Amino acid sequence: EAGVTQFPSHSVIEKGQTVTLRCDPISGHDNLYWYRRVMGKEIKFLLHFVKESKQDESGMPNNRFLAERTGGTYSTLKVQPAELEDSGVYFCASSQTAPGWTGGEKLFFGSGTQLSVL
Amino acid sequence: GESVGLHLPTLSVQEGDNSIINCAYSNSASDYFIWYKQESGKGPQFIIDIRSNMDKRQGQRVTVLLNKTVKHLSLQIAATQPGDSAVYFCAETHGTDKLIFGTGTRLQVFP
């Protein structure tokens, strides 16, 4: 079974540019999450999709971030315009059911996208 | 992928020894806790979890202890191996799908 895949693995852009990160969850997983780890600090929640709907976007830092999940399959996270403080690692995770219900072993993370804004 | 953080608390242990990684959480309403392992270039990987109605849970070579009185969580790894070298994160949730992660601890295993 293929895991959660993220693309690109690394992205280096200049301040003010736009970057789009992509996440392909495990097939059949309705829940898709975005998290990020900035400057080696803790991993922070960004948002949660259930199929194509945003269930919780309370972690999105500001309106420069836009997440979509058209058709309820893959998701994109766009940062426009990027700022220096956006640098970090962006993780995507997916699960068939919410982790609080069935267990953390059902939540699978991708390898992340390392974003560097110069 | 991601390189391991450079400024994390670090625990260095000798191969074969037991490791104890600690985590403090702040929300007394949290009812579910998870330990994750993150190796360089990979995403967090589930190790073990525990619910708030328990104070101990054992897996293969790993044990999680939960002390709700002082809001403390620990991960014990028995007979630590070189393959255990990674960054370890605790995470908590309280009735929602949103995980709240700790800052992470780097475990280094030397021969």
Side-chain angles (χ1 to χ4, degrees), chain B residues 4 7-8 15 23 25 27-28 32 34-35 55 57 62 66 68 73 77-79 82 85 88-89 99 102:
Chain B
V4 175
H7 304 291
L8 292 171
E15 182 178 357
C23 177
Y25 65 94
N27 190 341
S28 57
Y32 180 59
I34 311 170
W35 279 101
D55 53 21
R57 191 168 185 215
V62 294
L66 175 63
K68 294 182 289 294
L73 193 66
I77 304 174
S85 295
Y88 289 80
F89 293 95
L99 291 176

Side-chain angles (χ1 to χ4, degrees), chain A residues 26-104:
Chain A
I26 293 173
S27 177
H29 281 193
D30 290 339
N31 294 279
L32 187 149
Y33 307 81
W34 284 98
Y35 286 84
R36 76 172 180 176
R37 187 174 178 217
V38 174
M39 294 297 290
K41 296 183 179 177
E42 66 270 26
I43 301 170
K44 286 197 171 181
F45 170 84
L46 295 178
L47 87 161
H48 170 206
F49 284 100
V50 177
K51 297 185 180 179
E52 68 273 11
S53 300
K54 292 177 184 175
Q55 183 77 10
D56 180 353
E57 53 183 329
S58 60
M60 294 289 265
N62 51 61
N63 59 9
R64 295 186 293 103
F65 289 74
L66 175 64
E68 295 180 320
R69 193 183 181 194
T70 306
T73 54
Y74 71 91
S75 174
T76 58
L77 180 64
K78 181 192 290 188
V79 185
Q80 179 182 28
E83 298 290 342
L84 299 179
E85 64 265 25
D86 301 332
S87 297
V89 182
Y90 290 77
F91 292 106
C92 175
S94 75
S95 70
Q96 195 165 24
T97 53
W101 292 100
T102 60

Side-chain angles (χ1 to χ4, degrees), chain B residues 15-37:
Chain B
E15 182 178 357
D17 286 352
N18 297 333
S19 302
I20 300 176
I21 300 171
N22 296 303
C23 177
Y25 65 94
S26 57
N27 190 341
S28 57
S30 291
D31 56 8
Y32 180 59
F33 305 86
I34 311 170
W35 279 101
Y36 286 95
K37 172 186 181 183

